[in-house]
Amino acid sequence: MIAQLRIDDRLIHGQVALVWTKELDTPGIVVANDNAANNEMVQMTLKMATPTGKKLLIRSVDDAIKVFNNPKGKNMRMFALTNCVADALKIAQNVEDIDGINVANVGRFADKSEGETHQVGSTLMLSDSELEALKELTKLDVPVFQQVVPSNPKTSISSMLKK
Amino acid sequence: MKKYLIASHGHLASGLQSSLEILTGMGDKVSVIDAYVDDHDYVPDIKKFIEQLNGEVGVIFTDLVGGSVNQKVMLEVVGHENVLVISGTNLSIVLSVILEADELTKEKLNGLISQSQVQLVEAPNENSEMSDDSFLE
């Protein structure tokens, strides 16, 4: 089961990964990212950022969905990461067992050629297609919120979109 | 009340605050002293920080053991058992302390410090590819 699906444009990074895996009590981290799944250099940096003692799996989005739906993983608490909303939406539409989706940091390093970005919060800068994906995400039957670190309060994404 | 103070020679303190803000949005959790960037006497700032703790546990991060900033801090901290001082501060220890959810004790702090050391980093050479099955075990 996915204890939390986090959208973070840096995927795994340092202490933030450490506090979240501790907070969520997740022995396994799954990075669902097509680029990372095919790029050994990115894999190396992700391995280096993985907290000691945690298992890491790097898969394309489609392959990650298979892992999440594998009956063997039903009782395993997993911390899932994507770096964009569209990937998270695809996972949320194809996986049933997700406790919550944390839209933490998006779009800050994105290619700006796609046109104007929409600032939804201080750490969310979304292109048109990402904004549409986020709206779709909030329609699903899963809590969708923003919480950068565990000591921050959870802010619902629906309320942020209304602003 | 602020529980944390970073005090450094020059702009390291406000620089660490900036990094903290970018990584966690918690830059406002710390007070900073950038010493010697102007003629400002920073000792009253240290006193004020300790006073506003009102006896609760607080942490002061300094840059160099034995440096003048650290010396001034130590002089003010004497007699305040609730204030813990960390020196040789790096971003890693600042993050670890601020993100720590449990109450800070000396033992807890020593644990965080041992996990926040500077280190020589080398690329992992194992090419161990994890299978779905071994991950889900």
Side-chain angles (χ1 to χ4, degrees):
Chain A
M1 54 128 1
I2 300 178
Q4 184 174 112
L5 169 58
R6 177 180 170 94
I7 309 174
D8 192 321
D9 44 26
R10 287 169 297 195
L11 292 170
I12 307 178
H13 53 107
Q15 262 86 2
V16 178
L18 189 68
V19 277
W20 272 114
T21 50
K22 215 160 99 183
E23 172 77 15
L24 297 166
D25 188 22
T26 45
I29 302 174
V30 180
V31 170
N33 185 269
D34 293 353
N35 174 44
N38 291 306
N39 184 325
E40 280 184 19
M41 293 306 285
V42 175
Q43 288 172 17
M44 180 187 82
T45 60
L46 290 171
K47 281 178 192 164
M48 287 171 68
T50 301
T52 321
K54 302 289 177 186
K55 285 195 208 177
L56 170 69
L57 198 66
I58 304 168
R59 289 290 181 266
S60 66
V61 176
D62 288 338
D63 286 345
I65 289 170
K66 286 179 202 150
V67 174
F68 299 136
N69 288 327
N70 187 324
K72 270 187 165 177
K74 200 174 180 330
N75 295 316
M76 179 181 187
R77 293 178 64 80
M78 290 182 255
F79 183 35
L81 289 142
T82 70
N83 71 353
C84 66
V85 184
D87 288 351
L89 177 63
K90 193 169 181 188
I91 292 170
Q93 286 168 335
N94 291 287
V95 179
E96 290 216 343
D97 209 1
I98 304 177
D99 267 8
I101 301 176
N102 185 356
V103 190
N105 303 299
V106 187
R108 295 169 306 158
F109 315 122
D111 176 3
K112 299 283 187 288
S113 62
E114 220 193 309
E116 279 292 292
T117 53
H118 307 271
Q119 180 123 23
V120 179
S122 64
T123 61
L124 304 182
M125 269 149 269
L126 305 179
S127 65
D128 291 343
S129 60
E130 285 279 277
L131 184 65
E132 281 315 306
L134 190 61
K135 287 178 183 163
E136 284 301 311
L137 202 59
T138 57
K139 289 179 193 159
L140 302 175
D141 192 23
V142 187
V144 182
F145 54 87
Q146 178 173 54
Q147 190 179 23
V148 177
V149 292
S151 52
N152 295 145
K154 282 183 188 174
T155 310
S156 99
I157 292 292
S158 308
S159 71
M160 291 171 79
L161 285 171
K162 276 180 200 137
K163 280 183 190 152
Chain B
M1 188 192 78
K2 293 245 164 60
K3 286 164 72 180
Y4 313 103
L5 168 69
I6 310 175
S8 68
H9 296 79
H11 298 292
L12 178 66
S14 55
L16 285 168
Q17 183 182 38
S18 156
S19 305
L20 186 65
E21 176 63 25
I22 289 170
L23 289 166
T24 66
M26 295 164 83
D28 63 352
K29 294 258 182 203
V30 297
S31 295
V32 297
I33 293 175
D34 287 349
Y36 312 122
V37 295
D38 54 28
D39 293 337
H40 177 74
D41 177 12
Y42 61 89
V43 174
D45 301 339
I46 302 171
K47 285 190 208 283
K48 237 182 270 168
F49 172 78
I50 296 172
E51 269 168 34
Q52 57 95 50
L53 284 173
N54 248 326
E56 288 194 36
V57 175
V59 179
I60 302 181
F61 299 92
T62 71
D63 50 4
L64 293 169
V65 185
S68 64
V69 178
N70 182 257
Q71 289 179 27
K72 296 259 168 64
V73 166
M74 292 315 291
L75 287 172
E76 298 308 319
V77 164
V78 171
H80 298 274
E81 300 265 301
N82 57 314
V83 185
L84 301 157
V85 180
I86 294 174
S87 199
T89 300
N90 59 19
L91 178 58
S92 181
I93 187 63
V94 173
L95 279 166
S96 299
V97 168
I98 287 163
L99 292 172
E100 177 57 49
D102 299 342
E103 194 175 333
L104 283 177
T105 59
K106 271 187 197 171
E107 292 69 40
K108 185 93 227 172
L109 213 48
N110 273 323
L112 296 177
I113 288 169
S114 67
Q115 292 158 22
S116 304
Q117 297 301 305
V118 295
Q119 57 184 303
L120 181 67
V121 180
E122 290 176 289
N125 52 6
E126 20 93 63
N127 238 348
S128 56
E129 196 37 60
M130 190 173 274
S131 69
D132 288 7
D133 282 348
S134 61
F135 177 80
L136 292 169
E137 257 163 27

